[in-house]
């Protein structure tokens, strides 16, 4: 008898749960909640929002399907973000007792974003940051909102910069992002993605790090592989040399931000790198250890680097046609180059160099060199 009673109670509970879910998915959520949620998001973001379907699942929790955020009209140029599905469970006990909406994990499936710098130097999503209008009357029930972790997977998107001529454009695919609260004072993040090159190749990108909520400091590590450098030349004009060719074969950087100062240091190996300064052109396989910093408030850029030549050639030197098989290390800072042990071949002779090259606008060269094998006939041709 007791067993039958228990089974009956379980069946009744299952029936009530099933009936409740049916009511949620067919009446309450689509009729009463979806419109309110859409209007609230539109007010919060200052952009139009559309939601195709809102439902509840025992496995995935609250589920938003096919959400679109757009500006004036829902077309390619005005759409900011679409997502196939957003889901997550809500903890009901804090909601009932403390009026806290807590989502332990939010999943965002297949987002597609469009970021565009317009000709007036504004971003296409800049209205999100405009001050929000205050409601005429305060809500009777005020809720707090907290998400502990966000999982974004299988995303893609485009970045366009209309300030440049021709317009700069890049496409990102296979975008996976994990963002979560760590130790209550930090937000940890991990991003993995692939960047499409202009010729159909793929650049692999990984970014991991954290943001300290107290010190407002970002510490992160960035890894890049197969990055085609000249495709980003519009943003590298502050460098003292132009980059004509080359790829970053692999790299590992530390990227930091604090007190309006962005800094980047690390190592990278390049293949077939081509650098040019006036009539000078350097080409070869080069490893670089950059140390860069940019002060956002002062708009000042500082740099230094250690450059290791695996094998390179230099053309355009006065009195010499070409310098071959360059190997060794060079230091670079503002208006200064130096080396303690640079090997090369020129004028049918082998040399080891030590010296400095200063003041790029009005060059001054101090150089010591030695050679165990000199072609005096060739050397004589460059002497006055």
């Amino acid at each position: 008898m007791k067993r039958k009673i228990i089974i009956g109670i379980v069946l009744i509970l299952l029936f009530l749960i099933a009936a409740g879910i049916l009511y949620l998915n067919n009446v309450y959520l689509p009729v009463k909640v979806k419109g309110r949620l859409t209007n609230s998001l539109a007010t919060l973001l200052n952009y139009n929002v559309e939601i195709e379907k809102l439902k509840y699942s025992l496995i995935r929790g609250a589920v938003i399907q096919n959400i679109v955020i757009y500006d004036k009209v829902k077309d390619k140029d005005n759409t900011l973000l679409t997502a196939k599905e957003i889901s997550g469970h809500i903890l009901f006990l804090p909601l009932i007792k403390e009026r806290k909406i807590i989502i332990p994990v939010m999943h965002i499936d297949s987002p597609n974003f469009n970021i565009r710098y317009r000709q007036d130097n504004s971003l296409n999503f800049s209205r999100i940051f405009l001050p929000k209008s205050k409601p005429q009357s305060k809500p009777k029930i005020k809720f707090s909102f907290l998400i502990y972790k966000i999982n974004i997977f299988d995303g893609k998107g485009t970045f366009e910069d209309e300030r440049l001529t021709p317009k700069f454009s890049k496409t990102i695919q296979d975008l996976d992002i994990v963002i979560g609260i760590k130790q209550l004072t930090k937000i940890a993040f991990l991003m993995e993605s692939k960047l499409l090159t202009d010729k159909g190749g793929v650049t692999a990108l990984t970014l991991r790090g954290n943001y300290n909520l107290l010190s407002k400091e970002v510490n992160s590590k960035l890894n890049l592989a197969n990055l085609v450098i000249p495709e980003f030349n519009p943003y590298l004009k502050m460098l003292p040399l132009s980059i004509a060719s080359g790829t970053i074969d692999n790299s590992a950087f530390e990227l930091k931000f604090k007190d309006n100062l962005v800094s980047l240091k690390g190592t990278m190996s390049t293949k077939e790198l081509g650098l040019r300064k006036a009539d000078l052109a350097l080409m070869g396989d080069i490893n670089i250890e950059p140390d860069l910093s940019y002060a956002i408030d002062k708009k000042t850029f500082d740099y230094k680097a250690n450059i290791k030549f695996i094998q390179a050639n230099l053309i355009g030197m006065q009195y010499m046609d070409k310098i071959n098989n360059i190997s060794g290390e060079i230091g670079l800072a503002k208006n200064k180059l130096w080396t303690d042990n640079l090997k090369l071949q020129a004028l049918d002779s082998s040399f080891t160099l030590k010296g400095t090259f200063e003041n790029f606008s009005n060059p001054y060269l101090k150089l010591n060199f030695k050679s165990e094998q000199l072609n005096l006939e060739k050397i004589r041709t460059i002497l006055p």
Side-chain angles (χ1 to χ4, degrees):
M1 180 63 70
K2 290 183 179 180
R3 185 178 179 181
K4 291 182 179 179
I5 294 174
I6 293 173
I7 293 174
I9 293 173
V10 170
L11 291 174
I12 292 171
L13 289 174
L14 290 174
F15 174 78
L16 292 175
I17 292 172
I21 293 175
L22 286 173
Y23 175 75
L24 283 174
N25 290 336
N26 291 282
V27 179
Y28 187 73
L29 292 178
V31 175
K32 296 185 178 181
V33 176
K34 190 177 83 169
R36 294 178 183 176
L37 178 62
T38 301
N39 293 333
S40 297
L41 288 174
T43 302
L44 177 66
L45 301 174
N46 285 321
Y47 288 96
N48 295 311
V49 177
E50 285 188 9
I51 295 174
E52 181 180 303
K53 190 173 183 180
L54 179 63
K55 66 177 184 178
Y56 180 79
S57 167
L58 288 176
I59 298 175
R60 292 175 292 167
V63 179
I64 299 173
Q65 292 183 334
N66 296 325
I67 183 172
V68 182
I69 301 172
Y70 62 97
D71 192 358
K72 300 175 183 177
V73 293
K74 196 169 59 174
D75 59 13
K76 181 180 178 181
D77 292 333
N78 288 276
T79 298
L80 305 179
L81 175 70
T82 65
K84 180 180 178 181
E85 185 175 283
I86 301 175
S87 63
H89 283 280
I90 298 174
L91 300 182
F92 288 103
L93 190 59
L95 177 64
I96 297 171
K97 294 183 64 176
E98 304 175 29
R99 295 175 181 174
K100 291 182 178 179
I101 301 175
I102 298 177
I103 301 176
V105 182
M106 175 180 285
H107 302 280
I108 303 177
D109 182 10
S110 303
N112 189 346
F113 63 87
N114 177 23
I115 298 175
R116 185 168 66 254
Y117 248 123
R118 294 181 288 217
Q119 293 181 353
D120 61 359
N121 284 325
S122 66
L123 287 163
N124 61 331
F125 59 87
S126 58
R127 291 212 308 271
I128 292 176
F129 307 105
L130 293 177
K132 307 298 185 292
S133 58
K134 295 182 179 180
Q136 296 180 354
S137 59
K138 294 184 178 180
K140 296 180 180 180
I141 302 176
K142 189 175 182 180
F143 292 91
S144 58
F145 194 81
L146 179 62
I147 302 173
Y148 278 100
K149 188 177 182 181
I150 299 175
N151 288 333
I152 301 173
F153 50 95
D154 198 24
K156 60 181 180 179
T158 58
F159 171 79
E160 297 178 336
D161 195 338
E162 296 177 346
R163 301 171 300 173
L164 304 175
T165 304
K167 179 176 68 175
F168 179 84
S169 179
K170 281 296 171 187
T171 300
I172 296 175
Q173 65 180 23
D174 298 335
L175 176 65
D176 297 324
I177 301 176
V178 179
I179 304 173
I181 296 175
K182 183 180 180 182
Q183 300 172 349
L184 298 180
T185 60
K186 294 182 179 180
I187 298 176
F189 53 86
L190 169 63
M191 182 180 74
E192 295 179 342
S193 67
K194 294 178 181 177
L195 191 68
L196 300 185
T197 67
D198 293 346
K199 295 184 178 180
V202 174
T203 298
L205 183 151
T206 302
L207 177 67
R208 66 174 71 234
N210 64 76
Y211 173 69
N212 192 306
L213 297 169
L214 300 179
S215 63
K216 297 182 179 179
E217 180 179 3
V218 176
N219 289 283
S220 62
K221 293 183 178 181
L222 173 65
N223 296 90
L224 294 168
N226 193 37
L227 179 72
V228 182
I229 305 173
E231 294 183 4
F232 297 88
N233 270 340
Y235 302 102
L236 302 176
K237 292 181 180 179
M238 75 287 289
L239 296 178
L241 305 169
S242 62
I243 302 176
S245 62
T247 61
I248 296 177
D249 192 43
N250 57 72
S251 64
F253 299 112
E254 290 185 2
L255 181 63
K256 297 184 178 182
F257 171 78
K258 186 178 181 181
D259 298 331
N260 284 318
L261 183 67
V262 181
S263 63
L264 182 144
K265 63 174 61 177
T267 61
M268 65 179 181
S269 62
T270 67
K271 296 292 185 182
E272 300 179 358
L273 183 64
L275 304 177
R276 183 173 289 275
K277 178 69 174 181
D279 295 330
L280 295 175
L282 177 70
M283 294 163 287
D285 298 339
I286 304 171
N287 294 346
I288 304 174
E289 297 178 0
D291 189 349
L292 315 175
S293 62
Y294 179 72
I296 298 175
D297 52 347
K298 299 178 182 179
K299 296 183 178 180
T300 56
F301 178 70
D302 194 15
Y303 61 89
K304 59 182 178 179
N306 184 57
I307 304 169
K308 183 176 182 180
F309 295 92
I310 308 303
Q311 196 282 330
N313 302 315
L314 178 66
I315 60 175
M317 289 285 291
Q318 192 174 8
Y319 307 117
M320 297 184 199
D321 179 40
K322 192 174 184 181
I323 298 176
N324 297 319
N325 299 324
I326 303 171
S327 63
E329 296 189 10
I330 286 180
L332 170 66
K334 273 193 173 181
N335 276 327
K336 186 177 181 180
L337 282 167
W338 68 93
T339 182
D340 294 323
N341 185 23
L342 188 68
K343 296 180 180 180
L344 54 88
Q345 292 180 346
L347 302 171
D348 291 339
S349 303
S350 298
F351 297 94
T352 300
L353 306 183
K354 178 180 179 181
T356 59
F357 180 67
E358 300 181 71
N359 193 1
F360 296 152
S361 59
N362 187 20
Y364 172 75
L365 175 65
K366 181 180 179 181
L367 187 64
N368 295 317
F369 65 90
K370 65 178 181 178
S371 175
E372 297 179 357
Q373 182 183 1
L374 279 175
N375 187 325
L376 295 179
E377 291 295 326
K378 289 282 186 178
I379 296 293
R380 189 178 299 140
T381 61
I382 67 171
L383 296 177

